[in-house]
Amino acid sequence: MSDYRYLKVESYDDNAIVRVVLNRPETRNAQNRGLLIELDEAFRAAESDDQVRVVILAGAGPSFSAGHDLGSEDRKRESTPGPEQHVSYRTNGATCPGAESRHRQEWHYYWQNTKRWRELRKITVAEVHGNVFSAGLMLMWACDLIVAADDTRFADVVATRLGMCGVEYFAHPWEFGPRLAKELLLTGDAIDAERAYSLGMVSKVFPADALHDQTLAFARRLAELPTMTSLLVKDSVNHSVDAMGFQTALNTAFALHELNHAHWAEVSGGKTYNGTPEFGVPDWRTRGGVGWAEKDRP
């Protein structure tokens, strides 16, 4: 495993289990381009190692991931032309005009990579805690199983804070169910780990202070199964979901997401690709906290 700037990689049981940790705690593991590129490298490294049976994806600090990085110093530095600009901001459509640039960039770095991680030739377990917001959901949903701390909150706030119709890997109706997906997107409210467990989205709920050890114990159970059996189980379930239309729905939702960006770019005269206060969308920087989706709350 290589050294990473934005990740920590840990190995257990003679490398049978690899734990990849998002390591930007100061930003609540917001996903800048460098982190996403490194995550793909770490997943591919684990995939290529025949000793690895299970990959755990976790996050350092108070939250698993607060979503896309919209403005940290790392984000500004890697996207601004100059000696520290990340190469990905000069390739894969980045230099193309109009909507093509954003469409191709997001296709590569927000959507296609997430779909690839879903098909990783290992069993993957998301170990989540704190806030799992917006694009944080994408990373979690790409994993085969999800284990949550009892303090976890799940929400997608991009509609209420950015005027967008959801994140690029739009698994919401499949993970939440259609009506709850609409409610959570239209309100920006959150559900807790217990409700996520009742939906079948989360497999295990552990006390926050025991999450690491209990997830590792769970991964050890999964690692006992022969790898061929594990992968055929994984593929049998994934292909069943695909036969129900999952991939077609993802393709359509991604196209609508890009249309949403193009709309804001057009109405703003190219100044922004998200909704802003002048167009009736509250400023995401100053908007209050995320509330709970409760049955008796208007």
Side-chain angles (χ1 to χ4, degrees):
M1 298 288 182
S2 301
D3 291 330
Y4 298 105
R5 179 175 180 179
Y6 301 114
L7 303 176
K8 292 188 297 183
V9 179
E10 304 162 351
S11 175
Y12 301 88
D13 302 350
D14 296 324
N15 220 37
I17 299 169
V18 168
R19 187 168 180 262
V20 179
V21 184
L22 310 177
N23 193 29
R24 299 187 73 215
E26 72 284 355
T27 68
R28 298 181 183 271
N29 296 317
Q31 301 161 33
N32 63 315
R33 185 64 56 81
L35 181 145
L36 291 172
I37 297 292
E38 288 187 356
L39 183 57
D40 193 48
E41 292 173 355
F43 275 148
R44 288 176 186 266
E47 186 173 48
S48 68
D49 188 337
D50 290 345
Q51 295 301 114
V52 177
R53 290 171 173 254
V54 178
V55 180
I56 299 171
L57 176 62
S63 290
F64 173 72
S65 178
H68 289 320
D69 186 341
L70 299 180
S72 75
E73 290 305 311
D74 282 337
R75 168 69 170 79
K76 294 173 184 176
R77 181 168 52 250
E78 69 184 9
S79 62
T80 302
E84 295 187 83
Q85 186 182 42
H86 197 283
V87 65
S88 66
Y89 283 98
R90 301 190 297 272
T91 57
N92 284 324
T95 64
C96 295
E100 182 180 0
S101 173
R102 178 154 299 281
H103 184 281
R104 288 178 58 184
Q105 286 273 290
E106 294 199 346
W107 189 93
H108 280 284
Y109 300 113
Y110 294 158
W111 186 59
Q112 196 66 25
N113 56 350
T114 310
K115 293 207 301 177
R116 181 167 62 251
W117 300 334
R118 176 182 181 254
E119 301 297 332
L120 202 76
R121 297 295 81 196
K122 307 291 178 181
I123 298 301
T124 53
V125 179
E127 175 192 316
V128 302
H129 69 287
N131 292 335
V132 184
F133 287 173
S134 301
L137 297 171
M138 291 168 48
L139 298 187
M140 177 187 76
W141 286 338
C143 295
D144 297 308
L145 297 165
I146 300 168
V147 172
D150 54 8
D151 67 351
T152 311
R153 298 194 301 168
F154 306 94
D156 190 340
V157 298
V158 298
T160 57
R161 301 188 179 205
L162 297 174
M164 294 297 299
C165 56
V167 289
E168 294 81 1
Y169 183 87
F170 192 82
H172 305 59
W174 304 83
E175 298 285 356
F176 293 134
R179 285 192 174 82
L180 182 57
K182 291 177 184 177
E183 177 189 347
L184 296 181
L185 285 162
L186 292 170
T187 63
D189 287 343
I191 62 171
D192 63 11
E194 287 296 334
R195 188 166 183 186
Y197 176 78
S198 72
L199 293 171
M201 186 178 84
V202 164
S203 298
K204 306 289 181 182
V205 179
F206 297 125
D209 60 1
L211 179 65
H212 176 277
D213 291 343
Q214 295 286 59
T215 303
L216 186 58
F218 184 45
R220 284 178 170 139
R221 288 185 60 197
L222 301 174
E224 293 174 358
L225 204 62
T227 53
M228 186 62 173
T229 304
S230 296
L231 289 179
L232 291 180
V233 168
K234 173 174 182 159
D235 287 347
S236 295
V237 175
N238 281 1
H239 293 328
S240 295
V241 176
D242 292 345
M244 298 175 195
F246 181 65
Q247 293 288 344
T248 300
L250 282 184
N251 292 341
T252 302
F254 180 72
L256 293 173
H257 180 93
E258 296 307 313
L259 173 61
N260 206 163
H261 277 315
H263 166 75
W264 292 122
E266 180 175 346
V267 299
S268 69
K271 295 178 181 178
T272 180
Y273 51 86
N274 294 320
T276 56
E278 62 186 300
F279 300 112
V281 180
D283 191 329
W284 61 271
R285 301 172 191 83
T286 58
R287 177 110 187 214
V290 173
W292 293 105
E294 298 172 329
K295 64 181 180 181
D296 58 351
R297 180 188 175 207

